[in-house]
Amino acid sequence: MTPRPTLRPARPYFSSGPCAKRPGWNASVLADALTGRSHRAGPAKARIQEVSDRSRAILGMPEDWKLGLVPASDTGAVELALWSLLGARGVDLLAWESFGSDWVSDVVKQLALEDHRALTADYGELPDLGAVDFSRDVVFTWNGTTSGVRVPNADWIASDREGLTICDATSAAFAMDLDFEKLDVVTWSWQKVLGGEAAHGMLALSPRAVERLESYTPPWPLPKIFRLTKGGKLSSGIFEGSTINTPSMLCVEDAVDGLRWAESVGGLPGLIRRSEANLAAVGRWVEASPWTAFLAKDPATRSCTSICLRIDDEWAEGRDDAMVAATVKAATQQLDREGIAFDIGSYRDAPTGLRLWGGATVDTSDLEALLPWLDWAWAEAKRGAA
Ligand SMILES: Cc1ncc(COP(=O)(O)O)c(C=O)c1O
């Protein structure tokens, strides 16, 4: 019998998005939000700009980059970039899990770009990064949130590239070192590593991306929500607090709170340390676990934010996947009912298993408290299934 643990995680929030709020968060941090004001009023614009300024400083974004708040979260930011920039040259599309595959499908089926190559890999692996052609545009996800596989670094990206690199970094930004010299477009949403609110996206553009915007007009119509230029010039206001449409000033206030907290834990190095400590804690447990393994095959590609585990239990051998999946579900539902861990089942399109968020807002002590509960819940669920 696996004993029922006694120590409970203080905060049972391990969802991969929206992610845990920062430690100590409560709704009073929103007290000074500029609610009931026009988002175009001076103080409101300044507050929106504060999000960009603090984000740039923490991330170490080069001075000559543009950073703006855009609608529709990370999805909005990525699609805005794809629709506005692609078509000027061929494109290599990298996908190794669900979100990367979504971007492939957008480019192939919606934009119908003929000159595309999809470089794909199964859950747990990366495509052959050496096969990427940097004379073309390149679209990739820094951290595959649904497989827990990240690129280990940006060494594989050519410095003297001709194409643009468009990087969906939503579950990487603020927990991994993004090499801006190798990137041209970087996107993320607030609801991930800093535990902000949903529906708002950030779009960062290198000077080369801006140059493309100002010299190339895509052949397809662009809805207002995607338009970054006017009369062939960048609408620079979007990158100075004048958003395309109306943002939530409550969410803006919350984002500022998250960034202040990020500064208080030591900025980017502190955030990375917190997230890597979470991966290390889970790694120690997986090492000794007779029933789980990392989905990421190569340890160098293991995500420190979306930590994805597959079932590697003798018990599962010879049992069909539907039964194993039902048993995992029974275990995660029990932990949910007990208030020990919320939302830790693997993503719906990913292999059966667990996904534990280990981003910076999760305390390592909470993950450590959770791990024995996983053993307990899995043993209980297997007994129920036998
Ligand atoms: C890699 C990646 N891209 C895109 C998205 C979509 O993000 P959002 O819902 O903020 O638009 C997610 C959400 O989890 C993600 O993990």
Side-chain angles (χ1 to χ4, degrees):
M1 274 264 298
T2 307
R4 184 186 156 95
T6 47
L7 182 67
R8 304 166 66 88
R11 297 190 306 145
Y13 302 105
F14 303 104
S15 150
S16 292
C19 302
K21 305 301 281 182
R22 55 115 171 144
W25 184 93
N26 64 60
S28 71
V29 306
L30 305 176
D32 293 334
L34 292 163
T35 50
R37 294 288 317 264
S38 164
H39 63 295
R40 309 239 180 251
K45 269 171 64 175
R47 199 65 59 86
I48 294 167
Q49 191 52 32
E50 188 178 342
V51 175
S52 287
D53 292 345
R54 288 183 188 269
S55 300
R56 299 177 75 101
I58 293 170
L59 294 173
M61 191 176 292
E63 294 264 307
D64 54 1
W65 278 55
K66 303 279 181 192
L67 176 61
L69 166 54
V70 297
S73 213
D74 181 68
T75 309
V78 173
E79 297 206 302
L80 199 157
L82 301 182
W83 260 254
S84 299
L85 294 165
L86 291 187
R89 51 178 70 224
V91 58
D92 280 7
L93 304 158
L94 278 61
W96 56 92
E97 49 80 64
S98 164
F99 286 105
S101 305
D102 284 348
W103 309 141
V104 174
S105 154
D106 265 14
V107 173
V108 175
K109 296 200 185 129
Q110 302 299 319
L111 294 178
L113 278 190
E114 267 177 30
D115 189 5
H116 72 265
R117 298 194 308 165
L119 285 77
T120 61
D122 279 342
Y123 278 85
E125 293 177 78
L126 279 178
D128 179 4
L129 301 178
V132 179
D133 177 355
F134 290 99
S135 69
R136 299 155 68 78
D137 292 331
V138 179
V139 179
F140 75 103
T141 303
W142 191 283
N143 180 73
T145 319
T146 65
S147 72
V149 173
R150 60 172 157 181
V151 294
N153 51 49
D155 294 353
W156 54 282
I157 301 176
S159 298
D160 60 349
R161 62 195 175 277
E162 292 161 46
L164 299 177
T165 46
I166 300 174
C167 174
D168 171 358
T170 201
S171 56
F174 299 101
M176 300 175 197
D177 221 344
L178 302 172
D179 184 348
F180 287 97
E181 296 305 318
K182 300 288 185 81
L183 303 172
D184 293 297
V185 177
V186 179
T187 67
W188 67 90
S189 49
W190 290 350
Q191 45 105 356
K192 284 284 189 289
V193 175
L194 296 185
E197 291 302 296
H200 296 72
M202 297 301 284
L203 175 69
L205 302 173
S206 75
R208 294 178 66 243
V210 173
E211 201 255 313
R212 168 79 63 86
L213 281 172
E214 294 188 331
S215 61
Y216 166 72
T217 307
W220 41 76
L222 284 179
K224 172 178 174 180
I225 218 100
F226 281 4
R227 263 177 259 148
L228 291 174
T229 57
K230 201 168 179 191
K233 279 275 158 222
L234 187 74
S235 303
S236 51
I238 296 171
F239 304 92
E240 291 157 9
S242 294
T243 48
I244 299 173
N245 66 337
T246 315
S248 156
M249 295 309 294
L250 273 179
C251 295
V252 168
E253 196 66 17
D254 187 65
V256 171
D257 173 72
L259 290 159
R260 285 205 189 109
W261 171 79
E263 290 153 9
S264 78
V265 297
L268 188 59
L271 296 167
I272 292 176
R273 258 196 311 278
R274 286 179 60 86
S275 189
E276 290 289 350
N278 287 338
L279 172 61
V282 177
R284 285 189 294 275
W285 174 79
V286 169
E287 188 100 337
S289 168
W291 65 276
T292 56
F294 281 98
L295 189 52
K297 290 210 171 109
D298 176 356
T301 67
R302 280 179 197 158
S303 170
C304 59
T305 55
S306 57
I307 305 172
C308 295
L309 306 176
R310 61 185 174 81
I311 303 302
D312 186 24
D313 191 338
E314 249 176 46
W315 171 89
E317 282 164 24
R319 286 186 157 84
D320 69 22
D321 196 49
M323 179 170 191
V324 178
T327 310
V328 173
K329 195 166 178 193
T332 57
Q333 283 180 339
Q334 175 149 25
L335 292 172
D336 187 301
R337 274 195 309 275
E338 301 254 2
I340 298 297
F342 299 135
D343 317 313
I344 61 168
S346 59
Y347 188 72
R348 57 180 185 267
D349 297 331
T352 298
L354 301 173
R355 182 170 58 158
L356 310 174
W357 183 254
T361 55
V362 173
D363 286 321
T364 306
S365 55
D366 282 340
L367 263 176
E368 284 171 339
L370 167 64
L371 298 170
W373 286 95
L374 296 179
D375 289 326
W376 172 77
W378 179 241
E380 292 283 302
K382 277 199 298 188
R383 273 201 307 143

